[in-house]
Each structure stands twice: as C-alpha cells, then as structure tokens.
Amino acid sequence: MQIRENLAELSSEPLHASLTAASMESMNLLNNIAGTYPEAVSFAAGRPYEGFFDTDQLHEYLKVFTGYLRCERGMTEQQVSRTLLQYGDTKGVIAELIARNLAVDEGIDADPRSVVVTVGFQEALFLVLRALRADDRDALLAPSPTYVGLSGAALLTDLPVLPVPSGKHGLDLGELVRLLRAARDAGRRVRACYVTPDFANPVGISMTVADRHRLLEIAASEGLLLLEDNPYGLFHRTPDRRPPTLKSLDTDGRVVYLGSFAKSGVAGARVGFAVADQPVGGGLLADELSKIKSMLTVNTSPIAQAVIGGKLIANDFSLVAANTRETAVYQSNLTQVLEGLAKRFRDCDDVTWNEPDGGFFVVVTVPFTVDDAFLEHAAREHGVLFTPMHHFFGAGTESRQLRLSISTLTPERIEEGLDRLAAAITSRLPGGTTADATVGTATGAVS
Amino acid sequence: MQIRENLAELSSEPLHASLTAASMESMNLLNNIAGTYPEAVSFAAGRPYEGFFDTDQLHEYLKVFTGYLRCERGMTEQQVSRTLLQYGDTKGVIAELIARNLAVDEGIDADPRSVVVTVGFQEALFLVLRALRADDRDALLAPSPTYVGLSGAALLTDLPVLPVPSGKHGLDLGELVRLLRAARDAGRRVRACYVTPDFANPVGISMTVADRHRLLEIAASEGLLLLEDNPYGLFHRTPDRRPPTLKSLDTDGRVVYLGSFAKSGVAGARVGFAVADQPVGGGLLADELSKIKSMLTVNTSPIAQAVIGGKLIANDFSLVAANTRETAVYQSNLTQVLEGLAKRFRDCDDVTWNEPDGGFFVVVTVPFTVDDAFLEHAAREHGVLFTPMHHFFGAGTESRQLRLSISTLTPERIEEGLDRLAAAITSRLPGGTTADATVGTATGAVS
C-alpha cells in the first residue's frame, strides 16, 4: 500500500491556475498549523457547535422523511425506496420543504420550481458563477475581506473578483457603485455582486436595514444581480428581531439566494440550495443551474436530502425553532468573548474589536501585523489558534486583524483561550503595555 | 408561490457556453420524451435494478459503519457523531474501506492517501478535468461515441474533446496514436485520454486484454495519462473471469482510476472516488484534486459515505459478493434481450446488434437514421423508449443506431418492449421486410 516512488512526475505540464493561487493554499496552511497543535484552544474553525450532536437523529430524520413521502406525498413503498436509493431529480426532492422553511423563517416567497438543492452552499455558488462566466470580460464584485470559498469558486471558473471595501456595516455602497461603473467603463461585464448581509464571514458584522434597501435600489438602477449568502442569519441575539434578508425584500428578481444547512441543519448532510427565480429563455435561472449540476454532481444525495427534509418536518419547518439551544450557546459564547476581551484589554487602547449582534465571528485589531508567523508563534508558545485576516484579503496583503470564531468552544475553553490570546498579543506589544492575561484564571470558569 | 411575471430578463448577457451546447440539451430532451410517455417500456435509463431496494438497509449500513468507527477505529461516541454530523475531511472518511474493496474486487493496490471520495463518479471526473485544463492549448482524447457526462464535464471546464473512433472492441488504438500525434503536431497539449474498458456507455462492449496492455504501452511511450471509468465492470457474465482493469495493470502511474458506487453500491448515496497516485510537486494528484474539491463541494457527505462504507463492511469489502442477485438479473435480462432480438429480426439482415458479455447496454443498428423524431414516434405510436445513439456522438451527427439499456426491466416488460421495438423498427423498414413483432406475445412471459 505504498505510493510507488518511481511514478512519472505528472507536473511537467502546468495544472489549472487555481491550484497555485494563494487563497487555495490558505486552507491547507491553516489546517496544517491546526493539525500540528491539536491541544491549542481553537478560535479558528467556523463550525457548528457539537454539544447536541446525536447520531440517533439521523435515523429519526430518515424515518420522518419516509413517513412524509408515504403520507403527504402518497408514495408506495416502491416509490419511497426509489426516491431514497435511486438516482434522483437533478433539482432535488426537498424543494417544497425548503420553500416552506423559507416562508416560515425568512418571509421569502420562493416558488419550489426556482429551488435547486445542492451539495452545500459551495456547489450552489459554483453553479451560479459557472453559469454567469461566459468569457474573459466577465467579473464579479465581492466585499473585501471575503469568504475564502467565494475566492475559490471564482478561481475554479476563471472569474476575476473585483474587491469592494467593507466598512463598519459591511459593503461600502458608494464604493460599490463607483467600482461597478469604473469596471464597466473599462470594458468589464460585471455579472453580479456577492454579499452576506448577516454576520458575514470573516468580518462578523451585518448590513443595516437601510443599506439593504439601498443595495436593492442600486441593483435595480444599475442592472446588477446580487448573490446573497446567508449561513449565519438565524443566530441573532434576538431571533425575532432579525433584519430582513435581501431576498425577502426583492421585488424584481435581482437576488439569487444561496442557502446553507451546514450551520442550521446537519453539516454532515452537505445540503444547500439556490433560489434562482430569474427568467432565462423560456425557463428560470434555476433550470440553467440544474443543467450544469447534471454534469457536475448529477443530483444531491437524496439520503442526505432526507436527513435535512426530516429535520425541517420535525421542527414544523422552522430552523429558528430547531436551533433554540444552539443559538443560546452562540449568544452566550459571543457575550463571553466580547466581555472577556473588554476585561483583558481595558488598559490597551491599541487593541480593539467589533461587536456583532450574533453569528460566529469577532474581528480583533492589534497594533502589529498578524501574519502566519504570529499565528504559528501563538499556537506554539501560547496554545491558541485564530485566523489571520490577511487570508481573506487575497495574496500579498497585510493586515493587523485576526478573526475569532466563537461557535465550537465551551465556556471553560473560551476563558482559557482568551488568556492565551491575551498573552500572545501582549508578547508583541511595545514594552510597558500588558494585557491582563489572568482574568480567566482568576475568575475561574464562566457559565 | 407563483414565479413573478415581471422579473427582469437575466439573459440580456450570454451565459456560459456549456448551457447552449447540444450535449447539455440531450439529457433534457430525452427526459422530456420519457416524461411525456410514462407508460412506455423504457430501454432508455441506465439505472441500477430496483427490485431489491429496501430503505431498511440504510439504517443497517449506518449502524454497521458507526460500529466500525467505534470498534475498528476506536472512536468515542463524540468522535463518531462528529465524523457523521460535522464538516469532514475533504478527501473523505472511507478511503481505507475503498482501498480494501479495490484490493478484493479489482486486484488494485491503492494507497488510501491517493483516494479522494467524491460526489459520485461525475465529480471525480470534473475534478480531474479541472486540474488538467490549464489553458486554451489543452485537449482531451475520448472515444466516440462517448458517455454524455464526459462531454458535459469537458464543457464545464472549457476543455475540447478530440474524438477517437471506437471499433468492435472499443478504442481504435491505431487511430488513438495517430490523433494524439497529430494534435501535438498542431500545438495541442493532450492532457489525458478518457476510457471505459468494460461495457462502456453507450457501446456496451469491452476492450480485449491485449488491447489493455497495448493501451498502457502507448500511454507510457507517448507520455499520456489515462482516465479509467469503471461503473459496469462488476456485471460480467462470469464474474470470476472479469478482465483486469487498466489500473490493476498500471505499473508506472499512468492511470487515474475513477470509481462509482452508483450501480454497485447505493445510487442514492451519490458517492464515487478517484484513485490519483501520480506525484505532483511534493504530494499526489489526489491532494490537488482535494484542493479543488474544497472549493467545489467542500467534502462528500459523511452520512452518504457511511452508507457506502457500511455496505462495503457488511459484504467483507466485496461488491461482487454484494451484487450476486443484481448480476444474475442483469445477465438474465441481457440474454433475454439478445435472444429476443434474434427471434424478432431473424429474417431481417438489415437489423443487427452487438453482443456484450455483460453490463447494461446493447446497441442495435438499423437501416435508417435514428433521430429524435423516430424516438418520439416509437414512444407515441408503439410505447417504447430507447436512446438514439447520435446523442453520444455530439452535435450535428447522424446515426443509424440506438442504445438499449437492460438494467431496470422485468422479463415481462422486456418481452413487451421488444415486441413494441420490433413494431417501431418495422414501421420504418422498406415494404415487405417485417420483423416478427409477436414473438413475445406468442410465447408469453419468459422467466
């Protein structure tokens, strides 16, 4: 079972350019550092909380879904087993259930025919970018810093990304318009703007409601398609006061909504979706995405869809309701991290951070460059992991920021991690400035 | 829930060229005809037999797999639930099990590190083509006619396909060498040759063992990578006399093996894999494919992988053993179709067909053009479906052949279908020539 040593070297010819792009290396580099220091407290991974995981739920959800196929959809046993075990419809078998979820949780009125069920959000994003990228003139607008998966999918489709500065409330809309027009004047065909209005990865912050309306007005007046990504919106400090999604405000089909069940459903199902109700030819953009999907992954595993479908049905189509416990954990963790930073850096004006109303991320600004060497130092010497923000800006950039993810830790680990982080940051501050790195230890575990 | 009628038309700007390619339309067209005539006997779909489907198996396989994680891999309950429910390793969690299966069933010695678990064969194919396609000089060799999913994945990666004629035993190797050299002389960089040595879709036939050795020699002497697709190899008339896969004969890393569990495992799991042990930089091609996958689908659903993993474990890693009943059905169906054609067209020298030793497909040649109008006629007037072979040749081609798939029908439906097919073909033959379209009815059901 050894790799043969005498294999011919394949790479005498170049491989696709995406494979040598810095943003494709980021994930590997970060994973390698994380793997080298398994005992470190990790504020790095933006994964869902595992404390309520239970594999028995898989069996339960599958049974709920097959029961739905029998009772609500009137299927025979043969049809039920065919639905789960055979090749399936490319657009998926839970579009109707997803539409009901979007109506209940988001106030989005989605026609099931406009829904394409995908292998996670990431495939939905790829399908849209692949459809939109027709030739070398095409480009995409996206906030800077941005989610690495956006950069990656754009690389895979050879689609250049034009970065739009992100301010205190997300996308700088004045800059967006200026950059859009400048790109068009330069002969670019700007196909869409990618945006995460709620608790965006990596910045953690949300757009104001006024900015959401203004962005939709810009989209209408400039003829710009918006690709809305919403993995974290549910996890709001006050779930019933969540701001409206762009798609729920979209009256003339300017928004393609890209959904994820990785944080709110079951990450291991790898199920996401696109709502693409834009007319194309005689059909919908969803049908075009489905054509591409038929040549990419054929269809999303109906077994995985059944797990998500069962969870939706079991919770009366509300993922807000399904995530009551998880949302409480995220909110508690977020509060603990924000208060913990305030305690530790109260005498340190050079260290600041933003204060999101929810989601998974907090961004800390320090008075020195946060490069991968500092991450390695923090992991090795202090036993703490985070994500240097430069990874979200693209190759060759420097940043004095780091991203903390609060989603997977226990209160005890958060206190320990913040002590370690404070020690790591302090080690780089000018002499005389010292964060209080013993707050957590002094106060003990915070519940 | 209605699609709003006043949505702006998106397609004022063109979409990606793949979306208007003929081969992308083929699937829709064929599905539409099939959907219009649901009562027709369908020799069209190359899907696995459904007679032994049982959703209880899902629960069983999941339990077997979680038991394996606990006992063989020594995982705690927390680790087990994390493995199934959380984001997972991009290369997958069943590489070791797949390697054991390949050793048992195929005599392939695969290092688990060279395995990338994918969302079906189709994603594995896409990953390889995306990795290999670096610029406009690149091209791919593939048999003509070929699997539509190959054409589709090549379109998605803007990779031109150079067709190699397929003869009585598959790829014409003399033509392969000639075309490869001509393409290189013309400045093309030929990155690989796609090939299905066993019961290829759509032609149904297999390469001789001598040709397999010769193809590997060509690959070595010409510096050509081979992409081996093997979805049907298990289903041989005499399973213990299956010819060797190219990968099992590959001594110097010329073959990337692209595996599917859609026919031999559980189609609804949508799990496939690549074995890519070619050195690239300091790692393996598998690692490069994994990087692309991280930006395409992130990872294959571990729940879906668990279903396949459980089935492999439950059958001592042999899918030959797991498919004893299915193989018997396919063999019986194939024999029935071949004998049925012989009975019905014994007086018709103008109608001929090939005689595969296994697999799902038989190709029938008739003395007139088999276009989509004839398919529509056969469906409407005679109640029978098949696949016109021109769909596998590419745009603008004509063919006098049709593909019959034998995998999903019962003996009764096969007899009825062959009667209908004979009637449909007869309706287009010159007057005086008449197939015996009553054989099935006369002899009744064949067991």
Side-chain angles (χ1 to χ4, degrees):
Chain A
M1 306 275 272
Q2 291 299 303
I3 298 293
R4 284 149 294 186
E5 300 299 332
N6 62 339
L7 294 182
E9 174 75 17
L10 182 73
S11 56
S12 57
E13 300 289 354
L15 298 179
H16 187 251
S18 62
L19 287 166
T20 49
S23 55
M24 295 284 270
E25 294 294 340
S26 285
M27 304 288 276
N28 277 349
L29 182 141
L30 296 170
N31 285 336
N32 283 344
I33 294 178
T36 308
Y37 302 100
E39 302 303 317
V41 177
S42 177
F43 291 103
R47 300 182 160 204
Y49 184 69
E50 297 175 356
F52 308 120
F53 278 5
D54 176 3
T55 53
D56 288 345
Q57 289 177 336
L58 289 182
H59 298 282
E60 184 60 27
Y61 294 151
L62 286 172
K63 284 174 188 160
V64 168
F65 185 75
T66 51
Y68 151 83
L69 293 180
R70 284 183 203 102
C71 300
E72 270 207 57
R73 291 175 60 173
M75 287 190 183
T76 63
E77 274 317 298
Q78 190 188 20
Q79 290 170 320
V80 168
S81 60
R82 177 183 296 151
T83 300
L84 264 73
L85 303 176
Q86 186 56 283
Y87 284 98
D89 185 72
T90 301
K91 287 171 82 173
V93 292
I94 60 168
E96 173 79 31
L97 305 180
I98 290 172
R100 287 164 80 170
N101 165 243
L102 290 174
V104 168
D105 278 344
E106 304 292 353
I108 293 173
D109 178 22
D111 188 308
R113 291 172 297 171
S114 70
V115 175
V116 182
V117 186
T118 55
V119 182
F121 158 84
Q122 193 66 29
E123 189 196 27
L125 176 65
F126 177 87
L127 295 178
V128 174
L129 299 191
R130 178 69 302 177
L132 292 177
R133 202 284 192 189
D135 66 42
D136 288 347
R137 280 171 297 168
D138 295 319
L140 180 74
L141 291 165
S144 175
T146 199
Y147 166 57
V148 292
L150 181 276
S151 312
L155 283 165
L156 291 187
T157 51
D158 303 308
L159 182 64
V161 176
L162 309 176
V164 182
S166 191
K168 199 175 169 188
H169 299 296
L171 275 179
D172 181 328
L173 298 183
E175 276 298 287
L176 170 67
V177 172
R178 196 187 65 74
L179 288 162
L180 171 62
R181 290 178 183 171
R184 285 175 171 171
D185 287 347
R188 283 278 188 203
R189 194 161 54 189
V190 178
R191 303 309 298 258
C193 178
Y194 167 80
V195 58
T196 309
D198 295 283
F199 313 126
N201 183 1
V203 290
I205 49 170
S206 298
M207 292 175 73
T208 64
V209 175
D211 266 6
R212 292 169 200 239
H213 285 285
R214 195 168 150 232
L215 179 56
L216 285 164
E217 287 162 18
I218 292 168
S221 62
E222 300 287 337
L224 181 67
L225 193 68
L226 302 175
L227 312 182
E228 181 176 26
D229 177 15
N230 184 23
Y232 310 106
L234 286 191
F235 308 117
H236 194 282
R237 188 184 294 267
T238 40
D240 54 349
R241 297 180 63 183
R242 289 177 295 133
T245 61
L246 293 173
K247 189 63 187 164
S248 69
L249 302 173
D250 179 33
T251 52
D252 65 344
R254 287 287 159 201
V255 180
V256 176
Y257 186 85
L258 302 172
S260 169
F261 294 114
K263 279 80 184 181
S264 59
V266 175
R270 296 298 308 132
V271 174
F273 61 95
V275 181
D277 51 12
Q278 289 72 24
V280 175
L284 299 175
L285 180 57
D287 301 311
E288 302 298 301
L289 302 183
S290 172
K291 273 196 237 172
I292 295 175
K293 182 172 170 65
S294 75
M295 299 303 176
L296 188 69
T297 59
V298 183
N299 61 270
T300 303
S301 165
I303 300 165
Q305 292 184 70
V307 169
I308 296 298
K311 182 162 184 172
L312 291 175
I313 295 165
N315 289 281
D316 292 331
F317 302 99
S318 173
L319 291 175
V320 172
N323 284 278
T324 308
R325 294 183 303 178
E326 287 82 355
T327 303
V329 168
Y330 299 140
Q331 195 53 53
S332 167
N333 283 2
L334 181 60
T335 300
Q336 189 186 347
V337 166
L338 293 175
E339 292 180 358
L341 289 169
K343 282 183 210 159
R344 286 168 181 81
F345 294 105
R346 59 190 154 201
D347 300 324
C348 237
D349 292 344
D350 286 348
V351 178
T352 58
W353 53 90
N354 61 8
E355 301 199 2
D357 280 329
F360 285 13
F361 306 114
V362 174
V363 173
V364 179
T365 305
V366 296
F368 55 85
T369 299
V370 180
D371 53 17
D372 296 332
F374 177 61
L375 170 61
E376 178 94 37
H377 165 84
R380 187 179 60 244
E381 302 298 330
H382 302 281
V384 65
L385 294 166
F386 47 80
T387 311
M389 283 288 285
H390 77 86
H391 287 287
F392 304 103
F393 281 96
T397 56
E398 285 197 359
S399 168
R400 297 183 161 209
Q401 296 186 315
L402 56 91
R403 189 195 74 176
L404 302 181
S405 175
I406 58 87
S407 55
T408 58
L409 295 171
T410 60
E412 295 74 17
R413 292 288 277 174
I414 289 175
E415 283 309 295
E416 194 175 341
L418 288 176
D419 281 349
R420 296 174 180 192
L421 179 70
I425 291 175
T426 299
S427 74
R428 290 292 172 100
L429 293 179
T433 317
T434 310
D436 185 350
T438 61
V439 172
T441 313
T443 59
V446 174
S447 66
Chain B
M1 305 276 271
Q2 291 300 304
I3 297 294
R4 284 151 293 187
E5 299 301 330
N6 62 341
L7 294 182
E9 174 75 18
L10 183 74
S11 56
S12 56
E13 300 289 352
L15 298 178
H16 187 251
S18 61
L19 287 166
T20 48
S23 54
M24 295 284 270
E25 295 294 341
S26 285
M27 302 289 276
N28 278 348
L29 183 142
L30 296 170
N31 286 336
N32 284 344
I33 293 178
T36 308
Y37 303 100
E39 302 303 317
V41 177
S42 177
F43 290 103
R47 300 183 158 205
Y49 183 70
E50 297 176 356
F52 307 120
F53 278 5
D54 176 3
T55 53
D56 288 346
Q57 289 178 335
L58 289 182
H59 298 282
E60 183 60 28
Y61 294 150
L62 286 172
K63 284 173 188 162
V64 168
F65 186 75
T66 52
Y68 151 83
L69 293 180
R70 283 184 204 100
C71 301
E72 270 207 57
R73 291 176 60 174
M75 287 190 184
T76 63
E77 274 317 299
Q78 190 187 19
Q79 290 170 320
V80 169
S81 61
R82 178 183 297 150
T83 300
L84 264 74
L85 302 176
Q86 186 57 281
Y87 285 98
D89 185 71
T90 301
K91 287 169 81 173
V93 293
I94 59 168
E96 173 79 31
L97 305 181
I98 289 172
R100 286 163 81 170
N101 164 244
L102 291 174
V104 168
D105 278 343
E106 305 291 354
I108 293 174
D109 178 23
D111 188 308
R113 290 173 297 171
S114 70
V115 175
V116 182
V117 185
T118 55
V119 182
F121 158 85
Q122 192 67 27
E123 189 196 27
L125 176 64
F126 177 88
L127 295 177
V128 175
L129 299 191
R130 176 71 302 178
L132 293 176
R133 201 283 193 189
D135 66 40
D136 289 347
R137 279 172 298 169
D138 294 320
L140 180 74
L141 291 165
S144 177
T146 198
Y147 167 56
V148 291
L150 182 278
S151 311
L155 283 165
L156 291 187
T157 51
D158 303 308
L159 183 64
V161 176
L162 309 176
V164 183
S166 192
K168 197 174 170 189
H169 299 296
L171 276 177
D172 181 327
L173 299 182
E175 275 298 286
L176 170 67
V177 172
R178 195 187 64 75
L179 287 163
L180 170 62
R181 291 178 182 171
R184 285 176 169 170
D185 288 346
R188 283 279 188 201
R189 195 161 53 190
V190 178
R191 303 308 298 258
C193 178
Y194 168 80
V195 58
T196 309
D198 295 283
F199 313 126
N201 183 1
V203 291
I205 50 170
S206 298
M207 292 176 72
T208 64
V209 175
D211 266 5
R212 292 169 200 239
H213 284 285
R214 195 169 150 231
L215 178 57
L216 285 164
E217 288 162 18
I218 292 168
S221 62
E222 300 286 337
L224 181 67
L225 192 68
L226 301 175
L227 312 182
E228 180 176 26
D229 176 16
N230 185 22
Y232 310 105
L234 287 190
F235 308 118
H236 194 283
R237 188 185 295 267
T238 39
D240 55 348
R241 297 180 64 182
R242 289 177 296 133
T245 60
L246 293 172
K247 189 64 188 163
S248 70
L249 301 172
D250 178 34
T251 52
D252 64 346
R254 287 289 159 200
V255 180
V256 175
Y257 186 83
L258 302 171
S260 168
F261 293 115
K263 279 80 183 181
S264 58
V266 176
R270 296 299 306 134
V271 174
F273 62 93
V275 180
D277 51 11
Q278 290 72 22
V280 175
L284 300 175
L285 180 58
D287 301 312
E288 303 298 302
L289 302 183
S290 172
K291 274 197 238 173
I292 295 175
K293 181 172 171 66
S294 75
M295 299 302 176
L296 188 69
T297 59
V298 183
N299 61 270
T300 303
S301 167
I303 300 165
Q305 291 183 71
V307 169
I308 297 298
K311 181 161 183 171
L312 290 174
I313 296 164
N315 288 281
D316 292 332
F317 303 99
S318 174
L319 291 174
V320 172
N323 284 279
T324 310
R325 293 182 304 176
E326 287 82 355
T327 304
V329 168
Y330 299 140
Q331 195 53 53
S332 166
N333 283 1
L334 181 60
T335 301
Q336 189 187 346
V337 166
L338 294 175
E339 292 180 358
L341 289 169
K343 281 184 211 159
R344 287 170 180 81
F345 294 104
R346 60 189 153 204
D347 299 323
C348 238
D349 292 344
D350 286 347
V351 178
T352 57
W353 53 90
N354 62 7
E355 302 199 2
D357 279 329
F360 284 12
F361 307 114
V362 174
V363 172
V364 179
T365 305
V366 296
F368 54 86
T369 300
V370 180
D371 52 18
D372 296 331
F374 177 61
L375 170 61
E376 178 92 39
H377 165 84
R380 187 179 59 245
E381 301 298 329
H382 302 281
V384 64
L385 293 165
F386 47 80
T387 310
M389 284 287 285
H390 76 86
H391 288 286
F392 305 103
F393 280 97
T397 55
E398 284 196 0
S399 168
R400 296 184 161 208
Q401 295 187 316
L402 56 92
R403 188 195 75 176
L404 301 181
S405 174
I406 58 86
S407 56
T408 59
L409 296 170
T410 59
E412 294 75 16
R413 292 288 278 174
I414 289 175
E415 283 310 296
E416 194 174 342
L418 289 176
D419 281 348
R420 296 174 180 192
L421 179 70
I425 291 174
T426 299
S427 74
R428 290 292 172 99
L429 294 179
T433 316
T434 309
D436 185 349
T438 61
V439 171
T441 312
T443 60
V446 174
S447 65

